[in-house]
Amino acid sequence: MLTQAESRPLSARPRTSRPAPHAYAPREPHQTVLYGLVQEHLATYVAHAAPTYAAPLPKYVVAAFDGYLACGDLARGFIRCHCDGCGHDVLVAFSCKLRGPCPSCASRRMCNEAATLVDRILPNVPVRQWVMSLPFELRALAAKRSDVLAAMERIFAEEIARVTTRLASIAGARTGSVGFPQRFGSSLNVHVHFHTLAIDGVFEKTAMGVRFRDAPPPSKDDVSEVARRVRERALLWLRRRGYLDERAAEERSNETIEPSALDACTQLALAGGAYLARPFEHKDSPDAAFERRERRFSAACDGFDVHCAVRIAADDDQGRERLVRYCSRPTFALDRIELLPDGRIAYLLKTPRRGRTHRVMSPMEFMARLAALIPPPKIPLVRYHGVFAPRSSWRSLVTPKPPARAAKSEPCAGHAPLPAAPAPASPAPASPCPPPALSARSLAHAEPTVRVEPTLISVLHWGRLLEGELFATSRYVEWAVLMKRSFGFDALRCPRCERRMRVLSTITDSAVVRRILDHLNLPSQPRTAAPARDPTWEPMAFGFDAA
């Protein structure tokens, strides 16, 4: 059953940042408000959507909700980690690993993408973030059609590359970018926009290898040119493929099309809704104030809004990793969901709008918005362009080299490169880096004595990764390494004797799982969704009356 919210108003509840954990503790997703809402209303929501609309919910939407209910449930199997020193055991539940409403798996995907991109894809060069929002009339089409979403993102990346190479003014030079299509806004709404991390410069081939050249910052006219050209190319692409309906408004209004359940959810998530206006202490973030000051990096053309004020300097690997995490962040924040005493759900807005601080929804509207924000399968969430494209001949020349193919040399004072060397037949383990004379903070602002090559990993970056212990050696980072890199603690360290634990076994047999959990006095029955009820007690099926 759902837990009622506290009696005090939402404005009186302080929103504090979560303290960083110091040791691994098994998560309990069933204790959250989100889990209770999905468990209580999923079956009712699915049963109501099937006969109401022309087509039921897609299978991937239902599977994403079912996977979230099974994620983190010890009764469905777990991994047993054992400490040989004191005999202590830690049970780690399985994850759903789906692109659904699960906050844990979405956060893990965010940290994994950031680690792999910073260590293996993005070179040690300046990076500029370009953001483009689509017109409101185009957002629904881009959210439902994967080819439209891919085309808009590709056109945006190509126009960024064209402006960057023109500003660099070097013949034959190339640039690249990494795109993050996002289908969500900050208030559980469908808001299709694109975050693109573009190299703020170009690469050129010389007799000595690949050389990087900085590009001057784009002017107001350059940003306006990108918005204008994207708009022209987007309309041309849509017209050629028949997506642009140029009929008269009267003719289009006479056409009736039975919407599917997912179409109804998308239209709901695009619409407005009901809000709460409560006193809420809100301070503008530094990013918001920075955007207001840097209007020279913003431009709009018929709804195509482009912004490129955020720039990460070279040698700032931590800044690049934080920026990638922001671009690949989860759809919503779990700590912003509140359950009101009357059964409605309130979602705290990132920025108050005319005094309104919370979006208020019925349970069915909340489920519909979550369904609309689940990305369809087989649609990449990260796209590579230019020199980073998978089939580009430049990719192996500009991306950072793994440490297995590099050998360390004696570091120079304060800042030194990690020179590349041919891979030996039997590579020896890298010797630990001697401690620098200055602190890490002072080194970050010190003038480098030797220029770090873009494809080499700096000593500061290598030291932050604990001399390569936390390096992303492949596309998928192990969960223990990822948690240590993201949160700073070792999940395989014994909480009793602080020795190293080992993975003893993977237990999936239901009978064995039940016996172990019963012995530990833990719930041994898998959690399932509540049975479907008659949704007629709800004043609105999918929340259209709230608009």
Side-chain angles (χ1 to χ4, degrees), residues 108-174:
R108 171 172 176 167
R109 186 180 302 107
M110 171 189 67
C111 298
N112 190 93
E113 291 291 351
T116 54
L117 283 176
V118 171
D119 293 352
R120 302 179 61 85
I121 302 297
L122 294 177
N124 192 20
V125 297
V127 175
R128 183 176 296 274
Q129 179 189 211
W130 292 72
V131 183
M132 183 184 70
S133 300
L134 294 180
F136 184 82
E137 298 80 9
L138 190 56
R139 293 175 187 176
L141 181 62
K144 293 184 292 186
R145 300 289 304 184
S146 60
D147 55 342
V148 176
L149 184 72
M152 299 300 106
E153 199 273 337
R154 174 183 55 82
I155 293 174
F156 183 45
E158 291 176 354
E159 291 304 319
I160 295 174
R162 191 188 63 83
V163 169
T164 304
T165 53
R166 180 176 58 81
L167 292 175
S169 301
I170 299 177
R174 302 291 178 85

Side-chain angles (χ1 to χ4, degrees), residues 34-315:
L34 175 64
Y35 191 94
L37 291 171
V38 175
Q39 185 181 33
E40 187 75 12
H41 300 284
L42 175 60
T44 304
Y45 166 70
V46 174
H48 173 71
T52 305
Y53 297 95
L57 289 171
K59 294 182 179 180
Y60 75 87
V61 174
V62 181
F65 282 115
D66 292 336
Y68 169 60
L69 294 179
C71 186
D73 190 358
L74 291 174
R76 300 177 184 270
F78 50 82
I79 294 177
R80 180 184 176 187
C81 300
H82 180 74
C83 178
D84 296 330
C86 63
H88 180 67
D89 287 352
V90 174
L91 305 183
V92 181
F94 296 138
S95 301
C96 64
K97 298 183 177 64
L98 299 176
R99 302 192 296 183
C102 180
S104 176
C105 294
S107 300
R108 171 172 176 167
R109 186 180 302 107
M110 171 189 67
C111 298
N112 190 93
E113 291 291 351
T116 54
L117 283 176
V118 171
D119 293 352
R120 302 179 61 85
I121 302 297
L122 294 177
N124 192 20
V125 297
V127 175
R128 183 176 296 274
Q129 179 189 211
W130 292 72
V131 183
M132 183 184 70
S133 300
L134 294 180
F136 184 82
E137 298 80 9
L138 190 56
R139 293 175 187 176
L141 181 62
K144 293 184 292 186
R145 300 289 304 184
S146 60
D147 55 342
V148 176
L149 184 72
M152 299 300 106
E153 199 273 337
R154 174 183 55 82
I155 293 174
F156 183 45
E158 291 176 354
E159 291 304 319
I160 295 174
R162 191 188 63 83
V163 169
T164 304
T165 53
R166 180 176 58 81
L167 292 175
S169 301
I170 299 177
R174 302 291 178 85
T175 186
S177 61
V178 181
F180 301 85
Q182 293 187 358
R183 305 171 67 252
F184 56 89
S186 60
S187 61
L188 288 180
N189 61 318
V190 172
H191 174 49
V192 179
H193 60 289
F194 306 97
H195 291 255
T196 301
L197 302 185
I199 298 301
D200 204 19
V202 294
F203 289 95
E204 62 171 342
K205 292 182 179 180
T206 63
M208 302 299 295
V210 176
R211 178 183 300 177
F212 176 76
R213 296 292 183 89
D214 289 312
S219 62
K220 179 73 172 182
D221 295 337
D222 296 328
V223 182
S224 301
E225 182 182 356
V226 171
R228 179 183 57 82
R229 287 183 58 88
V230 168
R231 182 252 183 196
E232 294 176 355
R233 294 184 57 184
L235 295 181
L236 180 61
W237 187 92
L238 294 171
R239 185 176 292 109
R240 286 179 175 176
R241 284 155 181 81
Y243 288 120
L244 198 61
D245 193 352
E246 299 179 338
R247 295 178 299 172
E250 297 178 355
E251 184 178 356
R252 289 179 302 188
S253 61
N254 295 330
E255 184 180 6
T256 58
I257 301 177
E258 288 289 337
S260 64
L262 189 60
D263 293 339
C265 296
T266 304
Q267 292 298 329
L268 167 65
L270 283 168
Y275 294 88
L276 276 179
R278 298 287 182 85
F280 179 72
E281 182 181 356
H282 177 80
K283 296 181 180 180
D284 289 340
S285 62
D287 293 339
F290 180 76
E291 290 179 5
R292 286 196 299 268
R293 293 195 305 267
E294 297 294 335
R295 298 306 300 175
R296 56 165 291 194
F297 293 108
S298 301
C301 182
D302 292 343
F304 290 88
D305 196 345
V306 179
H307 176 74
C308 63
V310 179
R311 182 181 184 272
I312 302 298
D315 303 333

Side-chain angles (χ1 to χ4, degrees), residues 377-444:
K378 300 181 180 180
I379 294 181
L381 302 179
V382 181
R383 303 173 187 267
Y384 303 95
H385 305 277
V387 296
F388 300 137
R391 296 185 179 181
S392 175
S393 60
W394 292 70
R395 182 182 174 105
S396 60
L397 302 177
V398 302
T399 53
K401 304 303 182 293
R405 303 177 185 175
K408 276 194 174 183
S409 65
E410 293 298 328
C412 298
H415 205 90
L418 186 66
S426 58
S431 58
C433 179
L438 302 177
S439 63
R441 177 172 297 181
S442 62
L443 286 177

